[in-house]
Amino acid sequence: NNLIKSLNSNCFSNLSSLEYLSLENNRIKYLENPIFSNLHKLNTINLANNKIKYLDAQFSNLKSLKNIYLSKNSLSMLNRLDRNSLLLDLSNTKIDFGSFYLLKNLTKLIDLDLSYNEMKANILKSLNLSKLEDLKRLILIRVGLTLND
């Protein structure tokens, strides 16, 4: 709730013991890579309710990261999440699930929230939820399903 619009790429470089980071309810549009690279103990990151459209490798070296909250962003792309992630909140993100191959590597995922998104009926099948053998909670509140073209 600080109206943050941008962050310097080295703003967290001296916080190597940080375990929880909340940047929710700001106006962040872009996160430079490698903004989180020194946060080796980071367990939870909350970037909910920002204006982020693109995340590529910002989380790729965070082996301790288990909980990722990205709800209420306008994501068009999300890549390279670590396979150790346990919770992923993508609710109300407007993400294009047509190009969504992200879940194939998240085999340890326990909690997945895809609520308040639009997706075509065949996308649920292509998400290949059957590969998520440890999944305990799947939230699909008000998911708008449309028939395939």
Side-chain angles (χ1 to χ4, degrees), residues 63-79:
K63 303 300 180 198
S64 295
L65 188 61
K66 304 287 186 224
N67 306 303
I68 305 168
Y69 297 91
L70 297 171
S71 66
K72 296 182 183 175
N73 279 287
S74 297
L75 288 173
S76 60
M77 180 177 242
L78 178 60
N79 285 329

Side-chain angles (χ1 to χ4, degrees), residues 131-148:
K131 298 280 186 191
L132 304 176
E133 295 176 3
D134 293 333
L135 192 66
K136 295 194 181 350
R137 197 168 83 131
L138 174 63
I139 305 170
L140 297 170
I141 299 169
R142 291 198 178 187
V143 170
L145 288 175
T146 57
L147 296 176
N148 303 329

